[in-house]
Amino acid sequence: MNLYGSICLTDIPRELFRKADNGKVYLNLKIWERKEPGKFGHTHVASCAPRKDEQKEGVNYFCGDFKVSDPQQYAPPTPEQVSAMPPAEPDDLPF
């Protein structure tokens, strides 16, 4: 199963970012399935996953929502579909 969605980076407490020895910056996340889909059909939610000793009372660590990806929704058109499309006129092009 593939998921797609977004994470709000501005909601993540900066002290949860960790710089590794290789110079890259990491953030521990936890993603789990919702009991029921949300208002916009999101089926999964993401949260920062700080260690117990890093957690602060009253801080909301939720940072993202995700849906199950529908491969058919992003499938490229078939050759038959392309052939059935009308030709583009020069004025239709954005450049």
Side-chain angles (χ1 to χ4, degrees):
M1 166 178 45
N2 293 316
L3 301 174
Y4 75 96
S6 60
I7 295 174
C8 181
L9 299 177
T10 57
D11 287 350
I12 298 172
R14 294 188 60 75
E15 65 269 11
L16 297 181
F17 290 102
R18 296 285 178 247
K19 191 168 188 175
D21 292 339
N22 62 6
K24 295 181 180 183
V25 178
Y26 292 89
L27 173 70
N28 290 331
L29 291 175
K30 177 179 164 183
I31 298 175
W32 67 95
E33 189 171 1
R34 293 174 177 255
K35 291 180 183 175
E36 293 182 20
K39 180 179 176 181
F40 299 105
H42 295 107
T43 56
H44 293 74
V45 66
S47 172
C48 300
R51 295 186 317 248
K52 275 236 190 254
D53 62 333
E54 294 178 319
Q55 294 177 6
K56 295 179 183 172
E57 191 172 328
V59 175
N60 181 359
Y61 293 104
F62 293 103
C63 60
D65 285 309
F66 298 88
K67 296 178 183 181
V68 175
S69 179
D70 178 5
Q72 295 301 317
Q73 184 179 0
Y74 303 104
T78 64
E80 293 80 18
Q81 290 170 322
V82 172
S83 296
M85 292 178 186
E89 298 296 325
D91 290 342
D92 291 339
L93 301 175
F95 48 88

